Amino acid sequence: MEKKIAVLGSTGSIGVQSLDVAEKAGYQVKALTANRDFRKLEEQIRKFKPEMAALSDTAAAAELRLRCKDTPTRIYSGAEGVCMCASETDADTVIDSIVGLAGLRPALSVLESGKTLALANKEALVAGGYLVLEAAKKTGKKILPVDSEHSAIFQCLQGKPSNKALKKIILTASGGPFFGKTRDEIKNVTAADALKHPNWDMGAKITIDSASMFNKGLELIEAHFLFGVAPESIDILVHRESIIHSMIEYDDNSVIAQLGLPDMRIPIQYALTYPERFVSPVGELNLAEIGKLTFFEPDYEVFDCLNICREAITKGGLYPAAVNSANEEANRLFREGKIGFLDLGRLIRTAFDVTPDKKEFTLEDVFETDRLARQAVLDAV
Ligand code: MG
């Protein structure tokens, strides 16, 4: 049977690549959503003919509705419109590639409506991991990781009889554009410097997160929720070539790794075709040509965002949500040239002081924490 999918955040980097995979595999695209890019979404609507589409920006949605009058696609608007596309579509798998905390509510809508969630939005799991896992448990639906590291771990875990013998997860990191630099050498870097990522081609927010390694901290938290492994059993290893996408280690010290060229179309495709595998447009890995793979310990003094994320997940509760929101705010301020690179860690840390101390929480608590953390960052600038 032909697979039916929906893509949330379809005009972003992961969204576009997801549609590329869907087109090549001949999947039906049932729903598309984006933030405000009505031009690109109109193009996608004309090409993929989804039943429904939404823009979270209401003015942009009005424009899109006018432009798509001659198509049968129903156009919705606002955060509710996006959630509507997540839950009302008759897709079997929904890819959530929305950027930031905005991806949380739609992720819950996908799971609550009984569909498989292909998750590219790591912030949903970081801020609302507990809520997302509860929703998945209730409907018995799977969360398939799209993030390359988590897809690697997921692939390494295929065929494993139980979680018992799993000793640790080794999350690999490219180290970003400032690898090997001292604090002094990076204190004056700009967003333009940070946007020169050596291996992966990504959106602006995540590229800055990669430069500060906050992204790896988010991935540590994401791995904890996805695979049920304690934070102290998740190691971070800098691997400059981005060929090994992550590894797992068993009790007998046997290590299993997943390798491939750094191209998101492999993990995206696996989330869509799972448990099957198809031919991919990504090139073959030629290890003789690459010659050598290198590994380093992360520099926790320069990249203090790693410590912040580890601290947040160890504290648990709403702390991961708080540092995630503080980072979204600090990341934006850095991209706008309003703060320096080394201010990121200092500002994100202020969120710890305002986080409500609760072990169990609701979606409203997450949004309240979001407000408090962002305000703490703005107050500290
Ligand atoms: Mg990643």
Side-chain angles (χ1 to χ4, degrees):
M1 202 182 66
E2 198 175 69
K3 207 165 203 166
K4 293 178 280 187
I5 68 155
V7 184
L8 314 178
S10 66
T11 58
S13 168
I14 298 288
V16 167
Q17 295 180 76
S18 300
L19 288 173
D20 188 30
V21 169
E23 189 186 2
K24 290 197 171 78
Y27 294 159
Q28 282 184 48
V29 176
K30 293 299 206 176
L32 293 171
T33 82
N35 184 19
R36 60 163 72 91
D37 191 346
F38 57 81
R39 286 189 184 86
K40 203 154 173 184
L41 191 55
E42 182 192 354
E43 262 172 49
Q44 293 177 339
I45 288 171
R46 295 197 181 277
K47 182 163 177 188
F48 293 96
K49 306 182 172 47
E51 289 174 331
M52 53 208 296
L55 281 171
S56 41
D57 184 295
T58 47
E63 176 70 31
L64 182 70
R65 206 169 281 131
L66 276 177
R67 287 167 167 251
C68 292
K69 250 201 208 139
D70 62 314
T71 73
T73 303
R74 298 189 303 277
I75 312 284
Y76 298 93
S77 72
E80 302 72 35
V82 172
C83 286
M84 188 94 146
C85 287
S87 60
E88 303 297 298
T89 162
D90 74 335
D92 341 279
T93 302
V94 182
I95 301 163
D96 180 356
S97 59
I98 293 169
V99 177
L101 184 60
L104 173 57
R105 215 192 282 262
L108 293 171
S109 298
V110 172
L111 291 167
E112 282 160 3
S113 63
K115 292 186 252 304
T116 299
L117 175 65
L119 191 61
N121 168 287
K122 57 194 90 189
E123 294 89 342
L125 215 43
V126 168
Y130 159 78
L131 302 170
V132 174
L133 294 186
E134 284 286 295
K137 217 195 297 168
K138 241 180 244 161
T139 52
K141 281 293 163 182
K142 267 198 163 45
I143 303 169
L144 300 173
V146 173
D147 208 347
S148 62
E149 293 79 358
H150 305 81
S151 173
I153 297 159
F154 182 64
Q155 293 182 55
C156 290
L157 288 168
Q158 297 306 307
K160 179 189 63 68
S162 77
N163 232 7
K164 258 198 193 145
L166 180 64
K167 189 166 78 179
K168 67 178 175 192
I169 285 176
I170 303 162
L171 260 187
T172 53
S174 74
F178 306 135
F179 168 76
K181 300 255 189 282
T182 63
R183 281 184 83 81
D184 203 46
E185 284 168 330
I186 58 170
K187 67 170 189 268
N188 294 321
V189 297
T190 63
D193 298 323
L195 287 170
K196 290 176 201 140
H197 195 278
N199 303 332
W200 296 97
D201 183 14
M202 306 174 290
K205 193 245 172 195
I206 185 171
T207 307
I208 301 297
D209 284 348
S210 278
S212 68
M213 292 193 79
F214 193 89
N215 181 57
K216 207 49 58 178
L218 288 177
E219 290 182 354
L220 182 150
I221 300 172
E222 190 185 0
H224 160 72
F225 284 116
L226 276 173
F227 306 110
V229 171
E232 59 274 20
S233 301
I234 305 174
D235 287 355
I236 294 167
L237 180 68
V238 175
H239 165 45
R240 294 296 283 161
E241 295 80 12
S242 300
I243 295 298
I244 296 180
H245 301 307
S246 277
M247 306 180 245
I248 59 170
E249 186 174 315
Y250 285 112
D251 279 340
D252 59 1
N253 293 338
S254 176
V255 176
I256 301 181
Q258 187 263 341
L259 290 75
L261 292 178
D263 189 316
M264 282 307 295
R265 285 174 301 179
I266 294 178
I268 292 168
Q269 176 166 315
Y270 189 63
L272 290 179
T273 64
Y274 171 84
E276 305 296 330
R277 288 183 187 268
F278 293 146
V279 172
S280 148
V282 178
E284 270 180 26
L285 175 64
N286 185 335
L287 283 173
E289 208 168 86
I290 291 162
K292 70 174 183 190
L293 302 178
T294 58
F295 305 95
F296 305 88
E297 280 295 332
D299 184 335
Y300 288 98
E301 202 205 318
V302 173
F303 299 101
D304 57 338
C305 288
L306 287 173
N307 301 322
I308 293 173
C309 290
R310 203 179 271 283
E311 221 174 297
I313 188 59
T314 305
K315 283 175 182 278
L318 287 158
Y319 287 96
V323 297
N324 175 60
S325 294
N327 175 62
E328 284 191 22
E329 200 62 29
N331 179 309
R332 181 184 60 80
L333 291 167
F334 176 69
R335 276 182 285 149
E336 291 171 359
K338 292 182 179 142
I339 61 166
F341 191 70
L342 295 179
D343 292 326
L344 289 168
R346 179 181 65 83
L347 293 174
I348 296 165
R349 245 181 210 294
T350 60
F352 280 123
D353 303 328
V354 298
T355 309
D357 205 9
K358 292 183 177 178
K359 281 284 161 251
E360 286 183 14
F361 55 85
T362 63
L363 193 55
E364 285 63 44
D365 291 325
V366 173
F367 290 119
E368 171 64 3
T369 304
D370 176 62
R371 198 187 58 73
L372 293 168
R374 286 174 191 273
Q375 195 53 53
V377 169
L378 292 175
D379 291 345
V381 169

PDB file of all heavy atoms in Angstrom, residues 122 147-150 200 202 206 215-216 219 222 264, ligand 1:
ATOM      1  N   LYS A 122      13.944  18.540  17.807  1.00  0.00           N
ATOM      2  CA  LYS A 122      14.446  17.992  19.070  1.00  0.00           C
ATOM      3  C   LYS A 122      13.915  18.751  20.267  1.00  0.00           C
ATOM      4  O   LYS A 122      13.803  18.215  21.361  1.00  0.00           O
ATOM      5  CB  LYS A 122      15.969  17.928  19.066  1.00  0.00           C
ATOM      6  CG  LYS A 122      16.687  19.217  18.830  1.00  0.00           C
ATOM      7  CD  LYS A 122      18.167  18.964  18.510  1.00  0.00           C
ATOM      8  CE  LYS A 122      18.360  18.796  17.028  1.00  0.00           C
ATOM      9  NZ  LYS A 122      19.661  18.351  16.629  1.00  0.00           N
ATOM     10  N   ASP A 147      16.721  13.007  13.585  1.00  0.00           N
ATOM     11  CA  ASP A 147      18.033  13.581  13.879  1.00  0.00           C
ATOM     12  C   ASP A 147      19.080  12.506  13.544  1.00  0.00           C
ATOM     13  O   ASP A 147      18.896  11.333  13.886  1.00  0.00           O
ATOM     14  CB  ASP A 147      18.076  13.931  15.386  1.00  0.00           C
ATOM     15  CG  ASP A 147      19.021  15.080  15.669  1.00  0.00           C
ATOM     16  OD1 ASP A 147      19.812  15.445  14.786  1.00  0.00           O
ATOM     17  OD2 ASP A 147      18.956  15.611  16.799  1.00  0.00           O
ATOM     18  N   SER A 148      20.158  12.890  12.853  1.00  0.00           N
ATOM     19  CA  SER A 148      21.096  11.887  12.333  1.00  0.00           C
ATOM     20  C   SER A 148      21.705  11.014  13.430  1.00  0.00           C
ATOM     21  O   SER A 148      21.844   9.799  13.251  1.00  0.00           O
ATOM     22  CB  SER A 148      22.198  12.563  11.524  1.00  0.00           C
ATOM     23  OG  SER A 148      22.933  13.435  12.346  1.00  0.00           O
ATOM     24  N   GLU A 149      22.043  11.615  14.580  1.00  0.00           N
ATOM     25  CA  GLU A 149      22.661  10.849  15.661  1.00  0.00           C
ATOM     26  C   GLU A 149      21.670   9.836  16.230  1.00  0.00           C
ATOM     27  O   GLU A 149      22.023   8.694  16.522  1.00  0.00           O
ATOM     28  CB  GLU A 149      23.117  11.781  16.801  1.00  0.00           C
ATOM     29  CG  GLU A 149      24.252  12.724  16.429  1.00  0.00           C
ATOM     30  CD  GLU A 149      23.796  13.937  15.629  1.00  0.00           C
ATOM     31  OE1 GLU A 149      22.583  14.039  15.326  1.00  0.00           O
ATOM     32  OE2 GLU A 149      24.653  14.764  15.291  1.00  0.00           O
ATOM     33  N   HIS A 150      20.436  10.281  16.408  1.00  0.00           N
ATOM     34  CA  HIS A 150      19.428   9.407  17.018  1.00  0.00           C
ATOM     35  C   HIS A 150      18.967   8.337  16.046  1.00  0.00           C
ATOM     36  O   HIS A 150      18.655   7.223  16.447  1.00  0.00           O
ATOM     37  CB  HIS A 150      18.284  10.256  17.569  1.00  0.00           C
ATOM     38  CG  HIS A 150      18.825  11.285  18.516  1.00  0.00           C
ATOM     39  ND1 HIS A 150      19.384  12.448  18.048  1.00  0.00           N
ATOM     40  CD2 HIS A 150      18.977  11.294  19.844  1.00  0.00           C
ATOM     41  CE1 HIS A 150      19.846  13.132  19.077  1.00  0.00           C
ATOM     42  NE2 HIS A 150      19.612  12.458  20.176  1.00  0.00           N
ATOM     43  N   TRP A 200      27.632  19.820   7.783  1.00  0.00           N
ATOM     44  CA  TRP A 200      26.187  19.710   7.563  1.00  0.00           C
ATOM     45  C   TRP A 200      25.635  21.031   7.053  1.00  0.00           C
ATOM     46  O   TRP A 200      26.031  22.096   7.493  1.00  0.00           O
ATOM     47  CB  TRP A 200      25.477  19.362   8.865  1.00  0.00           C
ATOM     48  CG  TRP A 200      25.816  18.035   9.448  1.00  0.00           C
ATOM     49  CD1 TRP A 200      26.728  17.792  10.422  1.00  0.00           C
ATOM     50  CD2 TRP A 200      25.233  16.762   9.120  1.00  0.00           C
ATOM     51  NE1 TRP A 200      26.746  16.447  10.714  1.00  0.00           N
ATOM     52  CE2 TRP A 200      25.851  15.798   9.940  1.00  0.00           C
ATOM     53  CE3 TRP A 200      24.243  16.364   8.211  1.00  0.00           C
ATOM     54  CZ2 TRP A 200      25.518  14.449   9.885  1.00  0.00           C
ATOM     55  CZ3 TRP A 200      23.915  15.021   8.167  1.00  0.00           C
ATOM     56  CH2 TRP A 200      24.552  14.079   8.989  1.00  0.00           C
ATOM     57  N   MET A 202      22.472  23.220   7.205  1.00  0.00           N
ATOM     58  CA  MET A 202      21.292  23.258   8.086  1.00  0.00           C
ATOM     59  C   MET A 202      20.713  24.674   8.158  1.00  0.00           C
ATOM     60  O   MET A 202      21.293  25.619   7.647  1.00  0.00           O
ATOM     61  CB  MET A 202      21.695  22.820   9.494  1.00  0.00           C
ATOM     62  CG  MET A 202      22.383  21.484   9.554  1.00  0.00           C
ATOM     63  SD  MET A 202      22.993  21.095  11.198  1.00  0.00           S
ATOM     64  CE  MET A 202      24.330  22.241  11.375  1.00  0.00           C
ATOM     65  N   ILE A 206      19.836  26.132  14.127  1.00  0.00           N
ATOM     66  CA  ILE A 206      20.581  24.926  14.509  1.00  0.00           C
ATOM     67  C   ILE A 206      22.067  25.077  14.193  1.00  0.00           C
ATOM     68  O   ILE A 206      22.921  24.511  14.887  1.00  0.00           O
ATOM     69  CB  ILE A 206      19.974  23.649  13.859  1.00  0.00           C
ATOM     70  CG1 ILE A 206      20.683  22.394  14.362  1.00  0.00           C
ATOM     71  CG2 ILE A 206      19.968  23.708  12.378  1.00  0.00           C
ATOM     72  CD1 ILE A 206      20.032  21.105  13.962  1.00  0.00           C
ATOM     73  N   ASN A 215      23.510  22.431  20.617  1.00  0.00           N
ATOM     74  CA  ASN A 215      22.818  21.397  19.837  1.00  0.00           C
ATOM     75  C   ASN A 215      23.136  19.998  20.360  1.00  0.00           C
ATOM     76  O   ASN A 215      22.256  19.148  20.474  1.00  0.00           O
ATOM     77  CB  ASN A 215      23.208  21.510  18.359  1.00  0.00           C
ATOM     78  CG  ASN A 215      22.516  20.482  17.497  1.00  0.00           C
ATOM     79  OD1 ASN A 215      21.297  20.420  17.469  1.00  0.00           O
ATOM     80  ND2 ASN A 215      23.280  19.664  16.817  1.00  0.00           N
ATOM     81  N   LYS A 216      24.408  19.755  20.696  1.00  0.00           N
ATOM     82  CA  LYS A 216      24.778  18.425  21.194  1.00  0.00           C
ATOM     83  C   LYS A 216      24.176  18.195  22.573  1.00  0.00           C
ATOM     84  O   LYS A 216      23.795  17.082  22.920  1.00  0.00           O
ATOM     85  CB  LYS A 216      26.306  18.287  21.209  1.00  0.00           C
ATOM     86  CG  LYS A 216      26.830  16.893  21.070  1.00  0.00           C
ATOM     87  CD  LYS A 216      26.224  16.093  19.906  1.00  0.00           C
ATOM     88  CE  LYS A 216      26.399  16.732  18.550  1.00  0.00           C
ATOM     89  NZ  LYS A 216      25.836  15.910  17.462  1.00  0.00           N
ATOM     90  N   GLU A 219      20.749  17.190  22.049  1.00  0.00           N
ATOM     91  CA  GLU A 219      20.718  15.807  21.558  1.00  0.00           C
ATOM     92  C   GLU A 219      20.949  14.802  22.684  1.00  0.00           C
ATOM     93  O   GLU A 219      20.416  13.691  22.640  1.00  0.00           O
ATOM     94  CB  GLU A 219      21.751  15.629  20.438  1.00  0.00           C
ATOM     95  CG  GLU A 219      21.306  16.384  19.192  1.00  0.00           C
ATOM     96  CD  GLU A 219      22.237  16.241  18.005  1.00  0.00           C
ATOM     97  OE1 GLU A 219      23.314  15.646  18.146  1.00  0.00           O
ATOM     98  OE2 GLU A 219      21.885  16.735  16.925  1.00  0.00           O
ATOM     99  N   GLU A 222      17.625  14.602  24.255  1.00  0.00           N
ATOM    100  CA  GLU A 222      16.760  13.884  23.308  1.00  0.00           C
ATOM    101  C   GLU A 222      17.040  12.369  23.389  1.00  0.00           C
ATOM    102  O   GLU A 222      16.112  11.556  23.449  1.00  0.00           O
ATOM    103  CB  GLU A 222      17.080  14.414  21.903  1.00  0.00           C
ATOM    104  CG  GLU A 222      16.140  13.990  20.806  1.00  0.00           C
ATOM    105  CD  GLU A 222      16.630  14.472  19.429  1.00  0.00           C
ATOM    106  OE1 GLU A 222      17.692  15.136  19.336  1.00  0.00           O
ATOM    107  OE2 GLU A 222      15.941  14.168  18.445  1.00  0.00           O
ATOM    108  N   MET A 264      21.426  14.418   5.412  1.00  0.00           N
ATOM    109  CA  MET A 264      20.205  14.153   6.183  1.00  0.00           C
ATOM    110  C   MET A 264      19.196  13.273   5.454  1.00  0.00           C
ATOM    111  O   MET A 264      18.263  12.754   6.060  1.00  0.00           O
ATOM    112  CB  MET A 264      19.526  15.476   6.568  1.00  0.00           C
ATOM    113  CG  MET A 264      20.168  16.204   7.724  1.00  0.00           C
ATOM    114  SD  MET A 264      20.360  15.184   9.206  1.00  0.00           S
ATOM    115  CE  MET A 264      18.652  14.880   9.652  1.00  0.00           C
TER     116      MET A 264
HETATM  117 MG    MG B   1      21.939  16.019  14.930  1.00  0.00          MG
END
